[in-house]
Amino acid sequence: MNKKFRFQWGAFLMFLLYGGLFFLLLSRFVFIQYTGTAEGQVLSTKAEHKYSREQVLQASRGKIVDRNGEIIAQDTLSYKMIAVISPNASNNSGIQRHVSDPANTAKVLAKYIDMTEQEITSLLEKSIKSEKYQVEFGKAGRDISNKVMEEIKSNKLPGIIFIEDLKRLYPNGQFASHLIGFALKEEKEDGTAEPVGKMGLEYIYDEELTGTPGKVEFKSDTKGFLLPNAEKMVTEAKNGLDIYLTLDKTIQNFLEEAMNTAQEKYNPERITAVVADPKTGEILAMSQRPSFEPNTREGLSTNWLNEVTEQTIEPGSTFKIFTLAAAIEEGVWAPNATYKSGSYKIFDRTIRDHNVVGWGNITYLEGFQRSSNVSMAYLLNQIGEETFNEYIKLFGFGQKTGIDLPSEATGIIANAGPVERITTTYGQGTTVTPIQMVQGMTAIANEGKMMQPFIIDKIVNPNTNDVVENHKEAEKKSPISAETAQQVKEILASTVTSEKGTAQKFKLNGYTSAGKTGTAQISKPGGGYYWGRNDFLYSFLGMAPVEDPQLIVYVMVHRPNLEMTETGSDTTSEIFNAVTERSLKYLNIEPENLELAKSIEMPNVVGEDLMASQSKLEAQGLKTVVIGQSDKVEEQYPAAKTSAISNSIVFLKGQGDIQLPDFKGWSKRNIMIYKSLSKLPIEIVGEGFVNEQSLTGGSIVTADTPIVVKLATPAEVTNNKGNLDESQTDLPQD
């Protein structure tokens, strides 16, 4: 018997339901496979985001170095402290890896970082309550030294970890601080921090000094472990540009030490000083007081100005140098002619000499030596007011020098009326910057050639070693002839040597010097001038040695506290003499028979036979140091067409074996030159002059031979041995 077919609605509905779901899933699967998207999101991107990790590679801020590559500012290793506060960090671990006792942790950390115990506790408890994984301590938890890190670690605080970081370091401390400035870390929106220049060169060249961070990109699992066969993609960090200055670290240290001594002894309101090379315009040293410690900013006041370029002063009698130069160039200087000193009447004003009564009828030469204001008034009549004003402009006053520093002041030349024009001749009423005075003096010291001052030697990309900027010496229009410059120089020398000269205290041991003293009134903020022996600006603008000036030194001391037996020249001469004598010795300018020394223009011997070149140079009165024993000259120092003093050293680089010289008595500067030319791995220890060397003179060395030279100052040698032996004072020239 046939069974009757019965339609099963329930089974049919189940088939439709599950069949439909299957069809939908299949359609979705096909759609995702084909389009690669789901819910509007690209799945490959979502997966990439989930499994990709990124690690930042820090870039170092560019270095600031002196002319010899000595570090002035650089990044150094430091540490950032982090507190891990999530209990999850300790899961599946036999060691506690998170902060569980905020109070005890805060009690310990408060001993090491700049936060109170209460502040640390509050930060930790608040972060724990917010269920954060970890927390940082802001500024207080950054720039931690290795020593402090180790001390904190010794307390074995659970959850406290350290990450390597970079910190800006100024290893020389109080060193041209207003010029170099400082950089501080600033926190960004993402919580990271990077150094930003706040003052000085660090601020001016912040963009150039700032590097570009790199990164490492890789794929990992959800726990952060690198996935098998996953590739790393590395974008290298680019360090900031390095800035090479014309400063010489050794000469700068001489200046800093001398200024510290004067500051302690006389407690003046301010001191400003500059050392320059008159032949090139390079600034070798620059500083001011009050100053500050850039690592801690201790001593930093409201004055952030670099006073050498941004502050104007009334220069006083040092300005008479340029009045004298104008008179000689115009042919109206008659040194043996006489005039009545003491006072000079113009309309209702009386110009007086600094001793009020004068010295009777004296010659113009004696008037200059005695720093007579009245002699300047008579000279102005002979030069002519308009002509004198033109010379002031030619010497660069009333305009920027163009030094490679921003915000340079111009000063104001007071020439509104006859009285102002007279007072300008002796530096009162008119304002100038110290750098303008130095620039003008280069014309006197450099045979009439006025050199533009500069302080940036070059800017180098350390990632490629390419020179991005190269600053070179620049000669300006000569305000005077070489003959006039020589005559001015001789008259300035007489202010030191004459018994009538005001600069007798600036006589150096073993070297000749020339210059002009200045005593200027200081204007009050509300008008008028301060008055009194402790209320003047005392200054000296000088050069040495007179025969062939290698240095210009300008020193200004504002309102020192003088004893009754002391004069303003005591304050400035102590700085000038100490810096100039030590610097000339460091530069290997030999004192003996200096008056017989003559200037020699260096010939070009590159490409010539090494031995023949050595004989040729020695025949001209130069000493030679040969690097390599054969073939032709590849390099020479000093370069061709530069000036050298007879009996000074010339370095010649050839080929072949290098025979090590006896370095004893060499200055650090000469060692640096030799190291640069020879490419030998010479390690230099200390400051001053070579006292010891690891290999004896005459040893044959190669690029792989380790060489150590130890330097000591004359004072250190004297303390160690009682007396300097003859060989240590017989220093080579350069």
Side-chain angles (χ1 to χ4, degrees), residues 74-95:
Q74 69 174 351
D75 280 358
T76 187
L77 182 64
S78 67
Y79 296 89
K80 178 169 65 175
M81 186 171 67
I82 294 172
V84 178
I85 53 179
S86 172
N88 294 332
S90 301
N91 288 346
N92 303 318
S93 174
I95 303 172

Side-chain angles (χ1 to χ4, degrees), residues 258 414 726:
E726 189 174 342

Side-chain angles (χ1 to χ4, degrees), residues 138-153:
K139 182 180 177 182
R142 293 194 296 265
D143 295 340
I144 294 174
S145 68
N146 184 73
K147 181 176 180 292
V148 173
M149 178 199 70
E150 293 294 346
E151 289 178 0
I152 295 174
K153 277 188 171 182

Side-chain angles (χ1 to χ4, degrees), residues 446-467:
N446 196 34
E447 300 180 338
K449 300 173 186 175
M450 192 167 76
M451 307 304 294
Q452 178 175 299
F454 66 105
I455 201 156
I456 307 296
D457 179 22
K458 59 185 177 180
I459 300 177
V460 177
N461 185 338
N463 307 290
T464 62
N465 291 324
D466 292 335
V467 177

Side-chain angles (χ1 to χ4, degrees), residues 541-616:
L541 177 56
M543 67 183 84
V546 177
E547 297 74 24
D548 186 17
Q550 303 294 307
L551 299 173
I552 289 173
V553 181
Y554 187 30
V555 182
M556 292 142 284
V557 181
H558 304 243
R559 305 181 74 187
N561 290 309
L562 299 173
E563 301 290 342
M564 290 305 297
T565 56
E566 294 173 332
T567 66
S569 289
D570 288 318
T571 64
T572 51
S573 63
E574 287 187 23
I575 297 173
F576 175 86
N577 294 3
V579 172
T580 308
E581 285 180 10
R582 295 179 73 183
S583 297
L584 290 174
K585 289 176 182 176
Y586 161 70
L587 294 171
N588 297 328
I589 308 302
E590 196 169 335
E592 292 83 2
N593 301 318
L594 194 60
E595 67 279 0
L596 303 177
K598 61 179 180 179
S599 181
I600 299 170
E601 184 176 293
M602 282 296 302
N604 186 6
V605 295
V606 173
E608 297 183 9
D609 180 78
L610 184 64
M611 294 301 113
S613 299
Q614 185 179 13
S615 301
K616 176 182 177 180

Side-chain angles (χ1 to χ4, degrees), residues 119-394:
E119 288 172 335
I120 298 172
T121 303
S122 175
L123 174 65
L124 293 173
E125 290 179 344
K126 182 179 178 182
S127 301
I128 291 170
K129 189 176 181 180
S130 301
E131 297 184 348
K132 291 183 177 180
Y133 185 82
Q134 64 187 43
V135 64
E136 297 184 17
F137 296 86
K139 182 180 177 182
R142 293 194 296 265
D143 295 340
I144 294 174
S145 68
N146 184 73
K147 181 176 180 292
V148 173
M149 178 199 70
E150 293 294 346
E151 289 178 0
I152 295 174
K153 277 188 171 182
S154 68
N155 291 277
K156 298 180 179 178
L157 295 172
I160 300 300
I161 61 174
F162 295 88
I163 296 175
E164 287 188 0
D165 199 5
L166 293 174
K167 175 186 178 182
R168 200 62 169 168
L169 177 68
Y170 304 90
N172 305 298
Q174 181 181 273
F175 181 98
S177 301
H178 281 79
L179 170 66
I180 306 301
F182 62 92
L184 286 178
K185 282 188 177 176
E186 283 190 352
E187 197 162 311
K188 299 191 294 186
E189 290 182 1
D190 61 2
T192 61
E194 66 177 22
V196 176
K198 293 295 184 182
M199 178 183 176
L201 294 174
E202 291 275 25
Y203 171 76
I204 298 162
Y205 289 95
D206 183 63
E207 184 176 343
E208 291 83 351
L209 288 165
T210 300
T212 304
K215 59 184 177 181
V216 178
E217 295 177 289
F218 56 92
K219 292 184 175 65
S220 66
D221 62 18
T222 55
K223 295 183 179 180
F225 293 105
L226 189 67
L227 290 172
N229 302 319
E231 291 184 0
K232 286 185 180 180
M233 288 195 301
V234 179
T235 303
E236 296 289 348
K238 293 182 180 179
N239 294 331
L241 304 182
D242 293 338
I243 298 178
Y244 286 73
L245 305 182
T246 62
L247 290 187
D248 188 301
K249 178 183 172 183
T250 300
I251 296 177
Q252 181 73 36
N253 280 331
F254 292 158
L255 182 62
E256 300 287 357
E257 290 171 17
M259 291 176 74
N260 285 341
T261 300
Q263 181 75 29
E264 184 176 343
K265 185 173 181 179
Y266 299 107
N267 192 29
E269 188 177 86
R270 284 165 37 215
I271 306 176
T272 314
V274 194
V275 183
D277 182 339
K279 299 181 187 301
T280 63
E282 292 169 292
I283 303 301
L284 302 177
M286 175 190 292
S287 195
Q288 65 193 63
R289 296 292 181 275
S291 189
F292 67 94
E293 161 59 73
N295 290 299
T296 61
R297 273 76 62 201
E298 182 182 355
L300 183 60
S301 64
T302 55
N303 179 23
W304 286 32
L305 296 179
N306 181 350
E307 295 179 357
V308 174
T309 59
E310 299 178 71
Q311 190 88 14
T312 59
I313 55 165
E314 294 185 28
S317 292
T318 51
F319 204 77
K320 292 174 183 175
I321 295 172
F322 309 106
T323 306
L324 172 65
I328 295 174
E329 186 73 9
E330 284 298 299
V332 299
W333 170 251
N336 296 319
T338 60
Y339 72 99
K340 178 66 181 299
S341 65
S343 62
Y344 179 94
K345 189 84 171 177
I346 177 168
F347 302 129
D348 61 340
R349 291 283 302 274
T350 300
I351 306 299
R352 298 189 183 278
D353 283 323
H354 58 82
N355 71 343
V356 182
V357 296
W359 305 271
N361 285 314
I362 57 175
T363 66
Y364 278 91
L365 176 60
E366 182 179 340
F368 188 86
Q369 292 168 342
R370 292 187 182 278
S371 197
S372 167
N373 295 336
V374 173
S375 71
M376 295 294 109
Y378 283 116
L379 276 183
L380 180 62
N381 289 338
Q382 298 170 55
I383 297 169
E385 291 181 354
E386 292 303 318
T387 302
F388 175 67
N389 197 48
E390 286 303 310
Y391 275 102
I392 295 305
K393 291 178 181 176
L394 282 173

